[in-house]
Every structure is written in C-alpha cells, then in structure tokens.
Amino acid sequence: MALDWLAVAGFGLLVLADLPGDTAVPVWAVVVLTAAMTLPVGFRRYLPRTAFGIVLVATLSSLLWDWHYDWFAAAGFTLYTVAVGHRARSRVLTTVITGIVLSVFPCLTVMGAPSPAPEMLTSLLIGCVVLGGAWSLGQAVQGRRDAAAAAARQLADQRVAEERLRIARELHDVVAHTMSLIAVKAQVANHVGAKRPETAWESLRDIESAAKGSLTEIRHILGILRTGDTIDEAVPRLADLPGLGARAAAAGVELHVHAPSPGPLPAGVELAAYRIVQEAVTNVVKHAAPARCDVSVTVESRELRILVENTAGRAASATSVPGHGLRGMAERVAAYHGEFHADHTADGGFRVTASLPLPSGVS
C-alpha cells in the first residue's frame, strides 16, 4: 500500500516536471488530468481495471491536448496489476504481444523513432511498447504463481495420499493380526463347544483378550492422527515382539523370537520393523498354522535386518497369491529405501526378509 502511494507521488512529480510553460490548456483541465493520471495508481490493488482505464484515458487526453507527452509509465504500472490478476484461457495473445515488444523495443533503442515524426506519434509508439511489456511481465508473473500453486496442490495431494496409505497400513496390521487370531479361536470354540466346553471358554477368553488389545492399539493410532503427535511409547516397539508369541501360540504357531536389544533406534524404523514381523506372523497364523515360526531381528552394517521363516503348514502352497499383507510390508520397507523379499522355501515353508537402512550415528 505504501509503495502504491509512493508511486503516485513519483508519477505526479514526473507529470508536473514535464508541464510546458506556454500551454493553452486550462488550469482546471491540467489539475483534473494530472489527478486522473496519478491518483488511481493508489487503488490499483483494489480496482485494477478501473484504475488502468482512468489512467489510460487521462494519458491519451493529455497527448491529444498536446501538453504532456507521457510514455504511459503510470498506465503500464496499473496494467501490470491487471495482467497479474488475469487468468487467460489461452497464452496466444500474450505470446504475440511479447513477440511484438521484443521486436520493436530493440529497434527503438538502436535506431530511434522514425524521423521525421510528430512527437505525439513517437509517444504513442513508445507507449505501446511500455503497455505490451507491462502486460507480458504481468502474465509471466501470473503464470509462475499458477505453476507454484499447482505444485503446492500436487504436493498436498501427495501428502494426503501418503497419509492415507500410512493409516491403511497401520489399521490393516492391527486389525488383520487380531482378526486372524479371533477367527482361529472362534473355529476352535465352535468345533469343541459341545464336547469340551472348558476349551471353548478358554478360546473365548483368548478372543476377548485379543479384541481388547487391538482396540487399545487402534485408539493409540487414532490419537496420534488426531493430535498430529509423533510416535510415542504407547506404540509397539521391538521390545514387544515376544508378546506376539502368546497370541501366535493360541492359534497353533510355535513362535521363536531372536531379537537382542539393538540399542536406540528411530521410532519410525522400530515401528515399521515391528509391523513387518507382526504381519509376517499373521500370515503364518492364517495360512500355515499349526507350524513353527522363527523370527530374527538384528543390526548389521548399519541396517536393521529382519528374517521371518516358518515351516510347512496346512495351507502352504507354492501358488498362493500375494495379498495386502505382503504389499503392506513391501511398502513399509520401500518408505525407508530398504529391500524386501518374500518367497517359499525348499521344504514348503515361507520366508520373509527385509532390511531397513539406519541413519548415520546408529549402529
């Protein structure tokens, strides 16, 4: 705003300095035209088209009355504001104007105005170049702003998509693990309910415990999403891996975990490693129970290496189709630029390996 009124003062001084002493134009007309050529500049941000129209008409009137040969400086200044706020459907007009300006301006600079030529014609010619340059510059600025806004929207959409993917992975890992266990225990309860009610009640207690644990994890996840906080102590970590053994054993999987304390790790890497192991064990419960499953988590060469391998079970098959679980594990590893492999073993079991690079300073 202050810059606009400073420009008003500057253009006013420019007009007054160029006033001829022997002009026949009435004083009132000089005052009105001078005000019309300068004051609208102060309102160019609020009424850009109106300000440009008034300044342009006043400038042309001063040329017609032959008392002031303005080079359309104030008009070009206000036209720049109009161009910045104008979103053209096509850039053809701007391209043509820019081409003309780039062709005429060097000619005027090097060769000068046509001679002989009235001073009014020279001012009009220079004014056209000034207006064309102002329009081209304003459209260029508008184009850059549009491109920056489009890039910002694209980045925001990408972040939203990444956040949705992260939420989907977290919920899938928590819910899939628990529901797999619940499904297995429900089948047991349904199968032995009439003959061995005590076993059925034990299965129901396992279902209750698994459901409560899953609800607790989901509440923690939703709490983090609502507040935007970072991962805290409530989120599972590698130290909690042995806790998967009790749930897996309830579903008929003999789980052996070898995960010596690796020392302090980034919270995101630790959570990703836990979820990878959890999902791999969930797949064993769903597709191979009863079976033996060995889990190893170690730090070697600045990498967190994960190995989950199970023996052949009831549903082991070389033709099994990868589902959301394997895809989710691969996405977690890719997020940290690591390596992921999953394949059947020679004895009919299944092996999942993953490596997550660790930042410098972690060993």
Side-chain angles (χ1 to χ4, degrees), residues 32-80:
V32 170
L33 289 178
T34 301
M37 292 170 61
T38 56
L39 292 180
V41 174
F43 304 96
R44 68 186 181 94
R45 300 180 189 272
Y46 308 102
L47 300 169
R49 298 176 185 272
T50 303
F52 169 67
I54 295 175
V55 173
L56 180 62
V57 170
T59 301
L60 292 174
S61 299
S62 69
L63 290 178
L64 291 176
W65 275 0
D66 196 27
W67 69 274
H68 175 65
Y69 295 101
D70 191 337
W71 286 2
F72 292 77
F77 193 62
T78 53
L79 180 60
Y80 167 80

Side-chain angles (χ1 to χ4, degrees), residues 169-211:
R169 283 198 300 259
E170 289 295 321
L171 293 178
H172 173 272
D173 290 347
V174 173
V175 175
H177 178 76
T178 304
M179 294 306 296
S180 298
L181 178 60
I182 289 176
V184 171
K185 301 305 291 185
Q187 290 174 357
V188 172
N190 183 55
H191 183 68
V192 303
K195 299 179 180 179
R196 290 183 289 171
E198 67 282 356
T199 304
W201 284 113
E202 183 181 351
S203 296
L204 291 176
R205 284 192 294 270
D206 290 338
I207 290 174
E208 180 185 11
S209 176

Side-chain angles (χ1 to χ4, degrees), residues 68-100:
H68 175 65
Y69 295 101
D70 191 337
W71 286 2
F72 292 77
F77 193 62
T78 53
L79 180 60
Y80 167 80
T81 307
V82 175
V84 168
H86 178 74
R87 288 179 172 82
R89 296 182 179 179
S90 174
R91 296 288 180 179
V92 175
L93 177 61
T94 301
T95 303
V96 172
I97 293 176
T98 303
I100 294 175

Side-chain angles (χ1 to χ4, degrees), residues 180 184 187 251 282-291 311-317:
S180 298
V184 171
Q187 290 174 357
T282 298
N283 287 342
V284 176
V285 171
K286 288 194 297 185
H287 303 300
T311 58
R314 56 174 173 81
S317 172

